[in-house]
Amino acid sequence: MYLGVDIGGTKTLVAVFDERSKVLQEVKFPTPKKYDNWLLELRHTVTQLEHQDFKAAGVAVPGRLNREEGLVYSLGNLPWKNEPIQADCEKVLHCPVVIENDANLAGLSESMLYKDKETVLYVTVSTGIGTAVMHNQVLDPALLDSEGGHIMLPFRGKLVDWEDFASGRAIYEHFGKKASEIAPDDEEAWGYIARNLSLGLFDNIAVVQPNLIIIGGSIGTYLKHYEKLLVKALRKYEVPIVPIPPIVQAQRPEEAVIYGCFDLAKQRFGHHAVAAH
């Protein structure tokens, strides 16, 4: 069996998987602000699980990592700095642990559902914008720390981050309401959203040259409202050397990260047992 741990700014999800990725048990607990308190909560939660013997675990971290040393440098919504999360989790879970950014894990999980696509670009659009790139269902090692949402683009006479005018936060600031509150047939509003998304998306397409784009996150759940508008906007920039690939909605938007924890743990440790540090 495998364990997945998805650390969120407000809650942490722990899930037990069998060898075929079936979820056997899920438990959530509020994410403490203090790192040491989080470790105590994780230890307590794991001791209450029905299964205890894990081949490996994947831990999703919403921030910047040092993968070689197993450290979390910093997180968006938590004050953790330079914590040895990999080694600490191995002590708590008694199995090998791999840590990875949550957007990368979500992208990996979703790319596993399209094994016929060589290169997949995953874009999560929620409070901010995150990106992940997979080749043949493996995270691109050269782009593990890429931040597609922070590419600089001209907007209203200034150079600003893409996510500053195209994310869920930006949508709320512009319309005074969430995307979920925008009428499905409000073509003007969805057209505005699609145009802003297309600007940064095209630049990412030009760099990555994906065979498929998967849109996740809270804004991705409404892709059907703006998909045609988004494709139309992208076609304006299309040139022979930068073709626009198919765009699809994430199939498991709420569960992509935790499944990615399993997928990466199995990729890394599934073929043989590795002793924990």
Side-chain angles (χ1 to χ4, degrees):
M1 282 169 289
Y2 293 85
L3 195 70
V5 180
D6 178 10
I7 305 169
T10 58
K11 71 178 188 320
T12 295
L13 171 63
V14 178
V16 178
F17 293 86
D18 67 12
E19 290 279 347
R20 297 185 176 182
S21 79
K22 180 181 179 181
V23 176
L24 303 178
Q25 188 178 4
E26 287 188 347
V27 181
K28 295 179 183 178
F29 63 85
T31 303
K33 293 297 183 182
K34 292 186 177 181
Y35 175 71
D36 288 344
N37 290 345
W38 177 80
L39 285 175
L40 290 173
E41 285 292 334
L42 179 64
R43 187 184 300 275
H44 174 74
T45 298
V46 171
T47 58
Q48 305 302 311
L49 295 174
E50 297 173 10
H51 306 278
Q52 300 289 326
D53 186 18
F54 305 112
K55 180 178 288 187
V59 177
V61 179
R64 189 162 169 261
L65 306 171
N66 179 330
R67 295 171 185 82
E68 291 184 0
E69 298 183 21
L71 303 178
V72 52
Y73 278 144
S74 62
L75 304 184
N77 298 319
L78 295 168
W80 304 357
K81 301 287 184 182
N82 299 316
E83 301 290 0
I85 190 169
Q86 181 178 342
D88 287 343
C89 284
E90 287 180 342
K91 292 175 184 177
V92 171
L93 305 177
H94 305 292
C95 68
V97 169
V98 57
I99 60 173
E100 188 49 75
N101 174 268
D102 54 359
N104 284 342
L105 290 171
L108 175 64
S109 166
E110 287 292 317
S111 76
M112 299 291 281
L113 304 176
Y114 298 93
K115 295 188 182 296
D116 61 325
K117 302 299 183 182
E118 181 180 358
T119 302
V120 175
L121 170 64
Y122 176 82
V123 182
T124 177
V125 187
S126 50
T127 303
I129 296 178
T131 55
V133 180
M134 286 65 56
H135 297 295
N136 297 316
Q137 294 75 57
V138 175
L139 286 165
D140 186 329
L143 295 172
L144 289 175
D145 292 315
S146 63
E147 290 288 349
H150 289 284
I151 58 175
M152 302 292 286
L153 294 165
F155 185 74
R156 295 179 179 172
K158 297 180 180 180
L159 275 177
V160 298
D161 283 2
W162 179 31
E163 69 173 27
D164 285 349
F165 64 87
S167 64
R169 181 185 66 250
I171 291 171
Y172 183 81
E173 290 174 352
H174 179 80
F175 293 103
K177 53 185 175 182
K178 299 177 181 179
S180 60
E181 300 170 316
I182 299 175
D185 60 352
D186 189 340
E187 189 165 324
E188 182 177 352
W190 290 114
Y192 175 85
I193 292 168
R195 286 191 298 275
N196 289 344
L197 284 173
S198 72
L199 297 175
L201 195 55
F202 184 81
D203 282 10
N204 278 277
I205 293 170
V207 172
V208 175
Q209 294 281 336
N211 306 115
L212 178 72
I213 297 172
I214 303 174
I215 308 292
S218 58
I219 308 305
T221 60
Y222 305 105
L223 180 62
K224 62 182 179 182
H225 300 334
Y226 62 88
E227 179 180 2
K228 292 181 180 179
L229 297 168
L230 178 59
V231 172
K232 182 179 179 180
L234 286 169
R235 296 291 183 202
K236 294 180 180 179
Y237 310 115
E238 186 174 29
V239 292
I241 59 172
V242 185
I244 304 303
I247 300 174
V248 299
Q249 178 181 322
Q251 294 188 38
R252 302 180 295 202
E254 302 298 325
E255 302 172 310
V257 175
I258 199 67
Y259 274 98
C261 292
F262 164 81
D263 290 327
L264 187 59
K266 188 167 185 180
Q267 282 184 358
R268 190 69 57 88
F269 302 112
H271 300 296
H272 57 276
V274 179
H277 295 170

